[in-house]
């Protein structure tokens, strides 16, 4: 048995002991006068371990109930917390009773938050059963849930009264979740323990797991007791987390575990910091090699600009900046606030180069996000609106954007209308964007409105205005040639409605659209003219 004491505002012990689940009640009973205990667990862990913990608690005189939720990050929502509150109420849990979190990080975070907020605070005990929870999340008092807009955005600092760690629970842990925990283990080696990092390089983690748990918890306990409320030193524990949380968000909190996301985030930020001379040369290669040894990712599965953009709203942000953690070398780290306006320089995001992004709002209640990537000599276009998602590989220097409706479920007001396209595909319009001179950002635009009803025209007007905003304000184009198609006069009316009817015209041009020949009258619009006409 090993014991670590965390000296926070309310000190508590962390006890590491094999088969401690069978003695949980004996360790908890001296710390509380509770008559009742609620075991909070998930559908993966409860069938394996809840019975043993329940027997131990009842043997120590507790009246025990169980609240079991569907396993997975997807359950980490306020809706689950509300159900937990109702369970507490229905089982007469009072302020003197106790909550026992039995499971991984999601379980501990939610049970802790429910305990912190129900009746303005009741005691809770952490019994982590995953490697990630044992080495990291069960210690430090951070509790909370996710919002659709980001991870852990709602929560509270609420320290447990006891943490009981049983390494034997790792025997039943699926391989993917063992790797998940190793993402956090590698983090501790990176920020504070060169010796741990080197031992992970030289040996297999499974062979010295007890030592790993003890060292990681010792590091975290030392950091937490110096900065319980996360206002200073504790920020170093977020190494890899800013980009990691962004990746989790982009993946809709499924398919990519937290530890995998942290590993990828750590690898990405270390490559960048080393490239800028902030990190000792060779550190990035060592980190990549170690992560690969344990089957952890070193890259994100989204373009870098998407990942960086998704950091907006991160809980580590302060005003217009975000606090990043960088390595000086293995085992030594530092924090630095980076202004959001400096992200392009830090991450080397060329606004006329590899990736470009704009958030469009064709309907007020529903966003459509357009991401354009320029990769070598090819453009690719990705668009999603509501629950639609499609990917279009496009020929060099031309983008054909398809604007979708939202199946009539996007709200209704004087300017924006839900609609169904005549062709039945959900498409209400097209935009053809052709770069004539990419260096000078001179491009041609062609609009096609499928739905030529009043509603379609209202949407077309918005489409014109949003696209011109994209071309001139985001891409930085100097001149755009607007194509008004003879076959589709409604596009011209939308163009006029957007306030650009007096733009000088040019020579007609033939376009091939879906195998048909469309005659296009080109109207030239310069950046200067656009600036003078936009609302």
């Amino acid at each position: 048995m090993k014991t670590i004491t965390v000296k926070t505002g309310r000190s508590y012990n962390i006890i590491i002991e094999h088969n401690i689940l069978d003695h949980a009640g004996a360790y908890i009973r001296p710390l509380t006068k509770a008559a009742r205990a609620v075991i909070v667990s998930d559908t993966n862990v409860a069938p394996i371990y809840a019975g043993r913990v329940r027997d131990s608690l009842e043997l120590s005189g507790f009246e025990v109930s169980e609240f079991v939720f569907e396993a997975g990050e997807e359950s980490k929502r306020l809706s689950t917390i509300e159900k937990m509150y109702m369970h507490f109420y229905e089982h007469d849990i009072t302020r003197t009773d106790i909550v026992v979190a039995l499971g991984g990080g999601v379980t501990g975070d939610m049970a802790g938050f429910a305990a912190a907020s129900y009746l303005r605070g009741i005691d809770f005990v952490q019994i982590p059963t995953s490697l990630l929870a044992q080495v990291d999340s069960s210690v430090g008092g951070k509790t909370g849930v996710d919002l659709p807009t980001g991870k852990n955005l709602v929560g509270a600092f609420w320290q447990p009264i006891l943490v009981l760690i049983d390494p034997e629970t790792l025997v039943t842990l699926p391989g993917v979740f063992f790797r998940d925990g190793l993402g956090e283990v590698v983090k501790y080696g990176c920020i504070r323990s060169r010796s741990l990092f080197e031992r992970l390089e030289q040996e297999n983690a499974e062979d010295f797991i007890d030592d790993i748990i003890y060292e990681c918890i010792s590091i975290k306990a030392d950091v937490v007791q110096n900065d319980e409320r996360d206002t200073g030193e504790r920020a170093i524990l977020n190494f890899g987390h800013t980009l990691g949380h962004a990746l989790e968000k982009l993946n809709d909190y499924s398919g990519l575990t937290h530890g995998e996301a942290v590993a990828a985030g750590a690898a990405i930020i270390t490559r960048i910091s080393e490239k800028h001379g902030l990190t000792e040369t060779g550190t990035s290669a060592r980190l990549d090699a170690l992560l690969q040894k344990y089957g952890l990712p070193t890259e994100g599965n989204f373009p870098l600009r998407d990942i960086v953009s998704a950091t907006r709203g991160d809980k580590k942000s302060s005003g217009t900046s975000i606090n990043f953690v960088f390595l000086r070398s293995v085992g030594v780290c530092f924090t630095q606030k980076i202004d959001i306006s400096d992200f392009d320089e830090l991450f080397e995001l060329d606004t006329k180069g590899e990736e470009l992004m704009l958030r469009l709002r064709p309907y007020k209640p529903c966003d459509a996000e357009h991401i354009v990537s320029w990769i070598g000599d090819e453009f690719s276009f990705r668009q999603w609106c509501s629950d639609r998602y499609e990917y279009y590989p496009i020929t060099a220097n031309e983008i054909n954007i398809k604007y979708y409706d939202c199946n009539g479920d996007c709200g209704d007001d004087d300017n924006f209308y839900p609609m169904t396209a005549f062709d039945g595909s959900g498409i209400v319009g097209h935009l053809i964007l052709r770069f004539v001179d990419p260096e000078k950002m001179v491009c041609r635009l062609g609009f096609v409105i499928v739905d030529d009803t009043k509603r379609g025209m209202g949407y077309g007007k918005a489409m014109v205005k949003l696209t011109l905003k994209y071309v001139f304000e985001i891409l930085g184009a100097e001149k755009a040639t607007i194509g008004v198609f003879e076959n589709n006069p409604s596009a011209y009316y939308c163009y006029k409605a957007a306030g650009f009817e007096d733009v000088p015209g040019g020579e007609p041009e033939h376009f091939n659209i879906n195998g048909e020949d469309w005659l296009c009258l080109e109207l030239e619009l310069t950046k200067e003219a656009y600036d003078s006409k936009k609302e």
Side-chain angles (χ1 to χ4, degrees):
M1 182 181 76
K2 295 180 179 179
T3 301
I4 300 168
T5 301
V6 184
K7 298 176 182 178
T8 52
R10 179 173 64 175
S11 296
Y12 57 94
N13 287 331
I14 304 162
I15 302 173
I16 306 168
E17 180 182 335
H18 286 258
N19 295 311
I20 200 171
L21 294 186
D22 298 319
H23 312 290
Y27 282 108
I28 296 170
R29 175 45 79 191
L31 304 177
T32 178
K33 296 180 180 179
R36 301 175 184 85
V38 179
I39 298 173
V40 175
S41 193
D42 67 29
T43 51
N44 288 340
V45 174
I48 305 173
Y49 297 118
R52 290 170 61 186
V53 174
R54 183 183 190 117
D55 290 346
S56 177
L57 290 170
E58 289 178 340
L59 195 62
S60 295
F62 293 97
E63 181 182 327
V64 183
S65 65
E66 297 178 25
F67 177 85
V68 180
F69 62 91
E70 190 66 32
E73 187 81 25
E74 298 86 349
S75 292
K76 196 176 173 184
R77 297 288 189 271
L78 286 168
S79 56
T80 309
I81 295 295
E82 184 176 3
K83 293 175 184 176
M84 207 177 296
Y85 292 152
M86 290 308 299
H87 179 92
F88 293 171
Y89 177 80
E90 291 166 0
H91 289 79
D92 299 322
I93 299 302
T94 69
R95 195 173 291 174
T96 60
D97 292 320
I98 194 166
V99 174
V100 177
L102 175 67
V106 171
T107 299
D109 285 358
M110 288 204 299
F113 180 56
S117 50
Y118 189 72
L119 301 178
R120 295 188 173 89
I122 59 179
D123 288 342
F124 89 110
V125 171
Q126 287 269 25
I127 305 182
T129 60
S130 71
L131 180 59
L132 186 145
Q134 291 181 359
V135 301
D136 186 73
S137 63
S138 63
V139 177
K142 282 188 177 181
T143 70
V145 295
D146 303 334
L147 294 180
T149 50
K151 189 176 174 71
N152 297 326
L153 293 182
V154 177
F157 287 97
W158 193 248
Q159 301 292 348
I161 64 170
L162 180 67
V163 180
L164 301 176
I165 297 176
D166 188 345
E168 291 293 330
T169 60
L170 302 181
V171 173
T172 59
L173 194 66
V176 63
F177 294 115
F178 189 83
R179 290 194 300 274
D180 177 44
L182 287 176
E184 291 284 357
V185 171
V186 172
K187 176 196 79 175
Y188 282 107
C190 286
I191 64 173
R192 188 57 73 86
S193 178
R194 188 183 187 93
S195 61
L196 174 60
F197 191 98
E198 291 176 344
R199 194 172 177 188
L200 288 167
E201 287 179 312
Q202 297 161 8
E203 303 178 37
N204 290 320
E206 296 90 338
D207 297 335
F208 61 104
I209 198 65
D210 286 22
D211 293 343
I212 285 174
I213 295 170
Y214 182 81
E215 182 158 7
C216 291
I217 289 297
S218 296
I219 293 171
K220 184 161 188 181
D222 183 58
V223 171
V224 167
Q225 60 196 15
N226 291 332
D227 180 21
E228 181 177 358
R229 306 292 289 187
D230 200 8
T231 58
E233 181 186 2
R234 189 167 178 171
I236 70 172
L237 300 176
N238 290 321
F239 175 61
H241 282 62
T242 299
L243 299 183
H245 284 169
L247 280 167
E248 289 183 273
K249 179 180 177 181
L250 289 170
N251 282 279
D252 293 326
Y253 304 104
S254 63
L256 185 73
T257 68
H258 175 70
E260 289 172 335
V262 168
I268 294 168
I269 201 66
T270 302
R271 278 195 294 275
I272 290 168
S273 62
E274 186 174 320
K275 194 170 185 178
H276 283 278
L278 301 173
T279 302
E280 181 180 274
T281 301
T283 302
S284 176
R286 285 185 68 186
L287 176 55
D288 283 357
L290 183 59
L291 294 174
Q292 290 166 0
K293 174 183 175 179
Y294 290 108
L296 291 164
T298 59
E299 300 281 357
N301 57 342
F302 281 79
L304 183 57
R305 178 169 287 274
D306 294 28
I307 300 170
V308 173
S309 179
T311 63
R312 279 24 174 217
D314 188 277
K315 66 181 186 298
K316 296 176 285 300
S317 62
S318 175
T320 60
S321 63
I322 292 181
N323 207 20
F324 281 90
V325 185
F326 301 108
L327 300 184
R328 293 199 188 280
S329 60
V330 172
V332 181
C333 68
F334 67 100
T335 62
Q336 184 172 328
K337 282 189 175 182
I338 305 294
D339 195 276
I340 292 173
S341 63
D342 294 328
F343 277 14
D344 283 356
E345 181 179 355
L346 173 65
F347 294 101
E348 298 184 343
L349 302 175
D350 185 350
T351 56
K352 288 169 61 175
E354 185 176 350
E355 294 146 351
L356 299 164
M357 178 174 177
L358 171 67
R359 180 183 294 271
L360 302 177
R361 294 181 182 274
Y363 301 103
K364 288 183 178 178
C366 174
D367 290 349
E369 295 189 21
H370 293 184
I371 298 175
V372 179
S373 301
W374 190 357
I375 305 171
D377 292 326
E378 291 190 357
F379 282 101
S380 62
F381 177 77
R382 222 181 336 203
Q383 175 202 35
W384 60 97
C385 179
S386 185
D387 60 350
R388 293 179 179 274
Y389 180 90
E390 294 207 24
Y391 176 76
Y392 306 97
I394 308 297
T395 57
N397 293 342
E398 181 173 310
I399 301 171
N400 185 348
I401 301 175
K402 298 180 180 180
Y403 289 80
Y404 285 96
D405 77 349
C406 298
N407 297 322
D409 190 27
C410 294
D412 193 357
D413 60 34
D414 293 338
N415 299 311
F416 297 86
Y417 300 92
M419 67 194 80
T420 300
F422 288 165
D423 66 1
S425 68
I427 298 173
V428 296
H430 297 261
L431 162 69
I432 296 175
L433 174 58
R434 177 177 296 173
F435 285 87
V436 180
D437 186 345
E439 289 300 317
K440 294 183 179 179
M441 300 303 288
V442 177
C443 56
R444 288 194 176 106
L445 301 173
F447 294 108
V448 181
I449 307 300
V450 175
D451 187 342
D452 60 3
T453 64
K454 178 182 177 181
R455 292 185 171 189
M457 298 296 288
Y459 181 82
K461 174 184 174 181
M463 190 173 86
V464 171
K465 296 175 74 172
L466 289 167
T467 303
L468 293 179
K469 176 181 177 68
Y470 169 64
V471 169
F472 287 112
E473 298 184 27
I474 303 301
L475 290 182
E478 297 176 6
K479 182 176 70 174
T481 303
I482 315 300
V484 178
F485 291 95
E486 183 181 59
N487 311 52
N488 189 233
S490 57
Y492 176 65
Y493 298 133
C494 293
Y495 179 74
K496 286 183 63 175
F500 301 101
E501 67 277 4
D502 58 349
V503 176
E507 294 297 321
E509 181 180 356
H510 289 271
F511 278 77
N512 185 290
I513 300 179
N514 296 328
E516 297 182 9
D517 182 50
W518 287 51
L519 183 65
C520 175
L521 175 63
E522 295 184 340
L523 306 175
E524 294 182 349
L525 181 63
T526 64
K527 175 69 162 63
E528 182 179 4
Y530 168 79
D531 287 340
S532 68
K533 291 176 179 296
K534 70 177 182 178
E535 295 181 357

